[in-house]
Amino acid sequence: MATTALPQRGYLHDDTPNLGEWIRSWLFTVDHKRIAILYLLAINFFFLLGGLAATFVRIELITPQGDLMSSDVYNRMFTLHGVIMIFFFLIPAIPAVLGNFLMPLMLGARDLAFPRLNLLSWYLYMFGGVFALSAAVLGGVDTGWTFYTPFSSTYSNSNVILTITGAFIMGFSSIATAVNFIATTHKMRAPGLTWFRLPLFVWAMYATSLVIVLATPVVGIALLLVAIERIWGVGIFDPALGGDPVLFQHLFWFYSHPAVYIMILPAFGVISELISTFSRKRIFGYEFIAFSSMAIAILGFLVWGHHMFVSSQSVYSSLVFSFITMLIAIPSAIKVFNWTATLYKGSISYRTPMLYALGFMGLFVIGGLTGIFLGVVAIDIHVTDTYFVVAHFHYVMVGGTIMAYLGGIHFWWPKMTGRMYNEIWGGISALIIFVGFNMTFFPQFVLGYLGMPRRYHVYPEEFQILHVLSSAGATVLAVGFVIPIIYLMLSLKTGRIAGDNPWEATGLEWRTSSPPPTHNFEAIPVVTTEAYAYPPEAAARDAAEWRPGSPL
Amino acid sequence: MAKTSTSAGHGAHGDGAHSEHAAHAHISRGTYYRVFAALMVLMALTVGAWWIEGIVALPRLLGVAIAMAIAIAKTTLIVLYFMHVKVSERATQLYAAAAFIGFAIMVIITMGDYFARGWPPPPGPLP
Ligand code: HEM
Ligand SMILES: [Cu+2]
């Protein structure tokens, strides 16, 4: 490889003569950074759409009567919310946006291993999205995001097939991204970048990719079988024809439990980067964090039956699944302890990304621990299909994945755009989100424990106060999500020029210009140190030099 | 784009410059024909086993076991030779194996549930 430095411009630099060319330069780009921006726009669009559906759900639940919509419309509304948020936001969010942007930069590569496959994955995502949206426009789906048979396969009169096709296609988009990350990590690391010098974000993305490649085909087949059963009535899930509806739950959760790790592992990766950078310390227990990602990826395949404790699954299976569920909490806890140990005696600065990281740690612990409650059969039979479960998974998915996604977007925003966002508004909105989130979802633990079932729009009067609290919290949360959209957009015009490394972070992505040139590096970097090589005395020195009002 | 050669007859050793490709061994055309022949034989065996089962009234379990054994042999041949896993890198082999292990986990645990359920007598078609 020639080492002569080519004169290069930032990847955002536009030298197209007219509008048509400009559109082509984006829609046919094979630059991983531009594809990441395409994903950023598309994914955030779906997030807003899913949020809109959630808004209607929360408005309906303000009163105990079903006054805003019929139960049928309500079913379609929460299904729309679930399908969009899970398949079109949470699963692709961090890998497709931050992963796409950062993997080659962190690995010291010029692009991903298969740039065209990367572009194809975006088109698959959009194509799947169009299917799901058309299902919504044509009247929606009422099965819930879980598509349980026999309702979905035999009884439902809604657009099940269109939605399923959308999720099916979107699965291939995930697989394409995952294959790309695996090949890139194996083959395109910069000289000197050994496996144990990789940033933990790369380890997390690698573990995620493994899960995606192994699990996604199963949900594809399971969903396809539902469609086949609907069209031709073949009787895979219909007991009258010799099928078994619970088989669907096995196949579905064989994917969808690993899928919750597809959502949270990338978030773990982001948090490791943030905690280390804003503590100015080497991460504590690097190998443990790296291997716990792999352990989660593998163990995650063995616990799916904890979603099926009341499904007529055999009690022996439930016993085993319950036991393995306890085991999988261990690697998650290892990470939290290591992050905490990293904070210890660090020079902590409460910049916006760090606020999100600290919020993540608290909320994920609540979400994870309530997961353990649910993994105990005796408790789960009491609270399954109640708001307790709803609160659990929102704590891990919103409090976990979305917090990490937002923290990561803020952290790498200067790299992606070359400009700083407004730190004051950043901090304010992070706090609003934290408060709004807890206000929305903590009451739901109480509601569920008292017996409020999920997926109902009419409820006894005594639950109203908690529901109103939750809806009020959702309003605060919505405000918290809108503020960043405004100041991030404004920063594109008015933000301070960031410079190459505004956070004084380690990591190869900070060694190139902001925004990076099309081929990422003037010359391929050579790595000689481990990741997070902050000088041991950095934290102590920062502390000695700290004055009120210092930026870091 | 460097292609992994599918035919040693052309000796397409393309990109000698890339060290990764140097490790890429080839499967010769003769091997392909032999694997193909073996698959045909196995197919004949499948049909034959079905015939014999009908004649000597083998227990059903044994019949299934024989059919599965033949099917596994076929799959192994296809994966190793036609899908090039035999001459792929270690990482590729690992992923191929992982897919099978994942699949086995799915089938074994799911079937484990079915066997452990203690089935009531079939209730017949729903009203
Ligand atoms: C820390 C370990 C975790 C444990 C032990 C755990 C355990 C459980 C259990 C037992 C259930 C079933 C509850 C029921 O339906 O009765 C459940 C539901 C759920 N969990 Fe977790 N969980 C954990 C982490 C996560 C994470 C990290 C995510 C996502 C990022 C997640 C997402 C979900 C979702 C979406 C559901 C509900 C699915 C549905 O029925 O719609 N969980 N969890
Ligand atoms: Cu689960």
Side-chain angles (χ1 to χ4, degrees), chain A residues 187 206 244 250 314 317 321, chain B residues 89 95 106 109 113-114 116:
Chain A
K187 287 290 176 194
Y206 186 84
D244 175 23
H250 275 298
S314 106
S317 291
F321 280 126
Chain B
E89 285 171 42
Y95 269 87
M106 185 182 88
I109 300 187
D113 170 33
Y114 282 95

Side-chain angles (χ1 to χ4, degrees), chain A residues 15-88:
Chain A
D15 49 11
T16 51
N18 54 45
L19 185 69
E21 281 297 310
W22 180 78
I23 293 177
R24 286 170 58 87
S25 79
W26 279 93
L27 291 188
F28 295 122
T29 181
V30 287
D31 180 346
H32 66 102
K33 299 180 289 302
R34 284 194 166 210
I35 296 172
I37 300 294
L38 291 178
Y39 261 122
L40 179 78
L41 297 172
I43 281 174
N44 285 357
F45 167 75
F46 276 101
F47 177 62
L48 292 179
L49 221 58
L52 197 65
T55 308
F56 283 108
V57 169
R58 278 320 321 170
I59 292 176
E60 165 60 60
L61 289 171
I62 292 176
T63 59
Q65 305 83 27
D67 29 27
L68 179 65
M69 46 186 114
S70 65
S71 48
D72 193 40
V73 174
Y74 182 78
N75 289 347
R76 287 159 204 252
M77 205 51 94
F78 71 68
T79 305
L80 185 66
H81 167 66
V83 168
I84 289 185
M85 287 303 200
I86 302 249
F87 292 110
F88 295 96

Side-chain angles (χ1 to χ4, degrees), chain A residues 203-274:
Chain A
W203 272 101
M205 291 309 314
Y206 186 84
T208 310
S209 304
L210 178 75
V211 179
I212 291 177
V213 167
L214 293 181
T216 312
V218 177
V219 81
I221 298 292
L223 294 178
L224 209 61
L225 287 176
V226 171
I228 289 174
E229 174 125 357
R230 270 183 87 83
I231 300 172
W232 290 296
V234 280
I236 295 156
F237 305 119
D238 182 354
L241 297 170
D244 175 23
V246 179
L247 177 64
F248 177 81
Q249 295 189 29
H250 275 298
L251 297 179
F252 183 81
W253 291 114
F254 182 84
Y255 164 77
S256 291
H257 183 81
V260 309
Y261 294 107
I262 297 175
M263 299 178 230
I264 201 71
L265 278 173
F268 289 159
V270 170
I271 299 302
S272 297
E273 301 291 321
L274 300 186

